[in-house]
Amino acid sequence: QLKLVESGGGLVQPGGSLRLSCTASSDTFGNYAAGWFRQAPGKERECVASISSSGASTYIPNSALGRFAISRDNDKYSIYLQMNNIQPEDTAVYYCAAGRSSYYPLEIPRLVDSWGQGTQVTVSS
């Protein structure tokens, strides 16, 4: 398993933008598919973006399509989530995730091998 550390969460106004970062502990990170999940109180954990091990392919579900973008820099063992036009329903704890490259698009939690500790994103005016 990888150790994943997120950063960049916080309080943002509706319509604003936020960029989350996640850095892995190992130079093998480039061998893993990776992604971002979120979990709001009382709701199931859901994928909001994922990226293949090489970064050539990305997956964005309908709930985030057109607003969220994912990228990675394997030289820095990192992935990023750019969130634009953030809305109150985006309030949740956001988790970085990694899994086997063959599990891409890594869209369900049971495919994830490694989780970060989570970072809170709160959308409020």
Side-chain angles (χ1 to χ4, degrees):
Q1 287 188 341
L2 297 172
K3 180 180 179 182
L4 304 172
V5 179
E6 303 100 335
S7 61
L11 176 65
V12 60
Q13 292 186 342
S17 297
L18 204 61
R19 187 186 193 222
L20 305 183
S21 301
C22 170
T23 300
S25 59
S26 172
D27 60 2
T28 63
F29 184 61
N31 298 330
Y32 291 80
W36 292 92
F37 287 71
R38 69 184 180 189
Q39 189 164 21
K43 294 189 176 182
E44 294 185 353
R45 193 169 294 191
E46 63 171 349
C47 177
V48 295
S50 67
I51 189 165
S52 62
S53 57
S54 69
S57 299
T58 62
Y59 164 76
I60 307 290
N62 288 338
S63 60
L65 197 61
R67 301 188 301 122
F68 292 7
I70 187 171
S71 61
R72 71 188 295 163
D73 185 340
N74 286 339
D75 290 337
K76 296 182 178 179
Y77 319 150
S78 296
I79 63 168
Y80 309 94
L81 181 68
Q82 178 67 42
M83 300 187 290
N84 299 322
N85 190 24
I86 301 176
Q87 299 301 314
E89 54 266 32
D90 295 318
T91 295
V93 178
Y94 283 70
Y95 297 90
C96 180
R100 298 179 183 181
S101 59
S102 59
Y103 287 172
Y104 174 78
L106 207 69
E107 78 275 25
I108 55 177
R110 67 177 176 86
L111 298 177
V112 175
D113 295 325
S114 303
W115 293 99
Q117 81 285 355
T119 185
Q120 177 70 46
V121 173
T122 301
V123 186
S124 175
S125 56

